Each structure stands twice: as C-alpha cells, then as structure tokens.
Amino acid sequence: MSRVLVMGLGRFGGGAATARWFALQGHEVLVTDVAEQSKLAATLESLADLPLRYKLGEHDPADFDRAEIVAVNPAIPFDHPLVARARAAGARILTEIGMTLRLLEGPVVGVTGTNGKSTTCAMAAAMLEASGVPVALGGNIGRPLLNRAAGLGAGTVAVLELSSFQLQWLEHEDLVPAVGVVTNVSGDHFDRHPDFDHYVAAKRRLADAVPPDGLLVLCADDPICVKFGRGARAPVAWSGAGIEPPVALDELSVPGPHNRANASAAALAALAVGATPEGCRAGAQGYRPLPHRLEPVTERDGVLMVNDSVCTTPVAAAAAVRSYERPVILLVGGRDKGLDWAPLVEMLSDDRRSPGERAGRFHESMAQALLDQALALRERCEFEAVGLSGGVFQNRRLTECVVSKLGAAGIDVRLHREVPANDGGLSFGQIIEAMSN
C-alpha cells in the first residue's frame, strides 16, 4: 500500500471523499490543510470512523517529500511549489474528479461554463431521471461520486459539473465525455487565473476532449463558444436565443432567458445519452431551483425575496435581475475577483431598475465603472441605501422584488452567530425569516 497525502481537505466534500476512498483501500493517509481544526470541524467529524492522520494549520514540506501519491484539492493552484516538490520527488499527482472519471463505466456528461453549469447539470439529471435512465449527479456541484463510482455500472449516466480548476488538473486520458456542454465563457476567477486566455484554455479542455462519436453542446450567443465549435472534433449542437430547443420548454418553473438556454442545453445533452422527449419535458417542468440560485425565499406585502447568492460575477448578476419584469432592489457585495463590472452597470442603467447598495457603497472597481457612466445613471437610476432591518419593506415605492447578491464571492453576514464563509445565502434566508417573524 502507498503513502498518500491529501492536500486540501476543504469543506465541500471532495477532500473528504478522497481521504475516505484511499483509507478504505488500505492506504496510509495523511490529510494536510492550512486551515485550523476549528474551521474544518464538520468535515473532520464526518471522517471520524477512519484511521487518518492530520497535519492542520500548515503544510509541512517534508510530508510532500515522503508521499508516494498526492491527491490535490482543485482549489490548490496548479503551479503550487509543494506540488512541484512532490512531483520532483516521484509522487503521483491525482485529483478526486480524475479518480472518479477513471472508475466510471457508463457515459459521462461533462458540463462547464462561467455561469449556469450547476443548473444545466441538475436539469439534465432531472430529464434523464424522468426518462427512466439511471443517472448520478456529481462533480463541482458538491456531490463527489468517487466512493460510488465503481458501483454505478455501465448503464448509469454520470452528469458531472466541471470547474475551470478541476479541468486544469485533469489528465487528457481521464476526460473522455460522451457529451460535453459549455454554457458560456465570460471570465471568472482572475484571482486564480493570470488572465482571460488562461481561463479560456481551462474551459476549452472539455470541448477538446469530446471524441468524434460524442456530442458537444455550445451556446451560439457566446463568442468563445463559437470559437470552440470551429475547432471541435465532435459534432456540435447549438443552444441560445433564436434557436428552437429540442423539446418544448414552455412551462419552466425558473425565470429568465438564461435559464431557458440552460434547459435547452440540458435537453440536448440528455437526449444524446438516452433521455426521451417526454422525459425532457417532464424533467424541465418539474425542476426547482437549486439552493442559492434564484431561489424564492418568501413573499410578503408584494415583495418577493430571492436568494441568488451563488452568483459571483457581474454577468450572472445582470442576467438574474433581467429575469424579473418587476423593479428590483439589488443587494450586492463581497470580494472583488478582478472582473469587469460594466455588464452589471449597463443593466442598472435600465430605468426600470433601482439598485440598493449594501453598506451604502460599491467596491472601488464597481465605483469606477459607475463613474464611467455617471451621467446616464444619474438621470435614469435612483440610488438608495437599503438596510436589512426592515428597510426593504419600507421602500415600497422602489420595489416589488428583491434579488440578493450577498457576495461577489460570498459575504460574511452575521445574524447573532458566527457565519462560515460562503454562507451568505443561508444568512440572507435567516435574516428574512427573522424579519418576517
């Protein structure tokens, strides 16, 4: 058996799934994470039944010298010096998603994109399930399949959400999807990717991996997707505005033209791996929003409270607000990832919309974008700070609909307790519940 080092336990399941898999195979497993034990309490508790060793609060370079296998969390940068050190010492470098792909026997539907990939994955899985096709949903959507993969069998379709981080780590021979879907590419994670081309190259890995006997589903409205289509090895199916979906999608329960495009892409993918038109229609009609994705929280006195806190890009925020015909108060904030705020600012200049500012101001980068269009915005928008202690309901003249954007990568909102990072959506729901009570 091998000496395995799991680098990055994290709190989203992938590190824990990897540690569990290696431990159950009888390997000697050391888990290391720069986070302190208190930050990982829930994950550590889930692994209490396993004979694991831990090094928390820091990475010890000597551990990387001794490891025969290093299983890397995708959040770890590809060029991390300790990974390079382990590789130079002869260690194999693996990831949870790569190991999963090696174990899966059935068709794989891989979905990536800047926005909409989780929704598209969940819709495709719902359509397959409604068609009677065995399906497993996993990947970046937060459901690691590693410990189930070997038992799924050749008749089960795996629908996997793939982030740019995961794609960057994958070996080419691991990624051979029956269907690849790229929803759109507008730029994200510039705190991790050095530039837009680097980010695009990571996304392109999925498009390039689909074999000639597979299917590549792309968005015809996205210029990067159009470029992917020109160089594709596989046949290409297109979704987007003005393109008739493969099945009727008139009764979607989720709002917005972007969700209609997601449903069309999901149907194209599902049909390619065994779904029926009837099953696609039923799956689309029965689909309900994933948590924190245009998720209705409550409606009170004509004000609809919507939690969309998973949204972390200006492009996605603009698409979300455009989903509603009613006026909108937009609660926006969080960590700036170096993205262009212009798409959101342009949407805010629409005279039907009135943005509410969290803490009375925008980030400096958004402020600069606002300055660039200051005259137009001054004439067409009404800015007003909105408090969370009931103010949204007092501003009845401003809005009937509230879209929460608690984070351009997650806001730490405190409601009489410590709130974990990236928990802004949960906190928003708690705040609204407290207000309602």
Side-chain angles (χ1 to χ4, degrees):
M1 292 297 164
S2 300
R3 293 187 299 276
V4 177
L5 186 150
V6 176
M7 183 184 188
L9 182 58
R11 290 172 294 169
F12 299 103
T18 304
R20 177 170 294 279
W21 190 88
F22 277 114
L24 292 177
Q25 302 302 312
H27 297 280
E28 177 188 329
V29 182
L30 170 66
V31 178
T32 179
D33 198 300
V34 295
E36 299 289 344
Q37 180 174 343
S38 60
K39 300 291 186 182
L40 300 168
T43 304
L44 293 172
E45 184 178 354
S46 73
L47 297 172
D49 59 314
L50 298 171
L52 303 172
R53 294 189 300 118
Y54 295 96
K55 179 72 65 68
L56 303 177
E58 63 176 351
H59 293 312
D60 185 345
D63 293 330
F64 291 80
D65 295 335
R66 291 189 291 266
E68 296 172 285
I69 297 173
V70 176
V72 183
N73 187 300
I76 302 296
F78 191 76
D79 57 355
H80 196 289
L82 289 177
V83 176
R85 179 171 180 148
R87 187 181 283 114
R92 292 177 62 200
I93 309 299
L94 302 176
T95 63
E96 181 269 330
I97 195 67
M99 294 163 60
T100 299
L101 286 164
R102 291 192 189 111
L103 292 171
L104 290 170
E105 297 180 17
V108 171
V109 175
V111 181
T112 195
T114 305
N115 302 302
K117 52 187 179 291
S118 294
T119 296
T120 301
C121 279
M123 284 182 170
M127 292 171 179
L128 286 163
E129 185 175 3
S131 300
V133 177
V135 60
L137 177 63
N140 191 62
I141 200 168
R143 304 175 187 177
L145 292 182
L146 178 58
N147 289 286
R148 296 175 51 204
L152 291 177
T156 299
V157 177
V159 180
L160 301 179
E161 178 184 337
L162 299 171
S163 70
S164 63
F165 299 171
Q166 289 173 317
L167 288 166
Q168 192 177 19
W169 277 106
L170 282 175
E171 301 292 340
H172 286 288
E173 60 268 22
D174 294 336
L175 185 60
V176 188
V179 181
V181 180
V182 184
T183 57
N184 48 69
V185 183
S186 61
D188 197 359
H189 302 298
F190 290 162
D191 50 350
R192 165 74 172 268
H193 295 280
D195 53 42
F196 184 59
D197 289 342
H198 191 270
Y199 175 76
V200 169
K203 295 297 189 184
R204 181 162 198 145
R205 296 192 74 179
L206 176 59
D208 290 344
V210 184
D213 60 348
L215 179 69
L216 178 60
V217 180
L218 298 172
C219 176
D221 305 319
D222 186 279
I224 301 299
C225 284
V226 171
K227 289 181 181 179
F228 289 176
R230 291 181 189 138
R233 296 188 299 154
V236 177
W238 298 95
S239 66
I243 296 178
E244 193 69 23
V247 299
L249 298 173
D250 299 330
E251 298 183 31
L252 279 180
S253 62
V254 287
H258 64 296
N259 274 323
R260 183 176 176 83
N262 292 336
S264 180
L268 288 166
L271 288 168
V273 288
T276 64
E278 295 77 14
C280 288
R281 285 193 292 271
Q285 291 169 6
Y287 177 80
R288 294 296 177 267
L290 293 167
H292 315 312
R293 293 166 176 85
L294 287 183
E295 177 188 18
V297 177
T298 189
E299 186 162 3
R300 173 182 165 188
D301 297 335
V303 180
L304 175 64
M305 312 298 290
V306 180
N307 172 14
D308 196 34
S309 56
V310 160
C311 163
T312 62
T313 71
V315 170
V321 176
R322 288 192 185 101
S323 299
Y324 296 93
E325 292 299 321
R326 302 191 280 184
V328 169
I329 287 179
L330 179 64
L331 307 181
V332 61
R335 177 168 55 87
D336 189 353
K337 298 192 289 183
L339 305 179
D340 181 9
W341 285 95
L344 181 55
V345 172
E346 291 168 3
M347 181 277 304
L348 293 177
S349 69
D350 183 335
D351 60 5
R352 295 174 302 163
R353 319 289 182 186
S354 296
E357 297 180 67
R358 181 182 183 271
R361 63 181 178 83
F362 288 98
H363 288 293
E364 290 182 8
S365 56
M366 189 170 185
Q368 182 60 53
L370 287 168
L371 286 172
D372 292 342
Q373 301 192 28
L375 291 177
L377 284 168
R378 186 173 64 185
E379 300 211 348
R380 302 181 64 191
C381 274
E382 180 179 3
F383 289 86
E384 181 167 331
V386 177
L388 290 179
S389 61
V392 286
F393 293 112
Q394 297 167 14
N395 288 286
R396 300 285 288 279
R397 63 188 177 81
L398 278 179
T399 187
E400 297 169 40
C401 173
V402 177
V403 177
S404 98
K405 299 292 173 204
L406 295 181
I411 294 173
D412 186 9
V413 178
R414 299 178 186 276
L415 187 65
H416 309 302
R417 65 176 180 85
E418 179 74 12
V419 178
N422 297 321
D423 197 22
L426 175 61
S427 303
F428 178 73
Q430 292 173 335
I431 290 169
I432 299 308
E433 182 180 359
M435 290 166 57
S436 299
N437 293 335

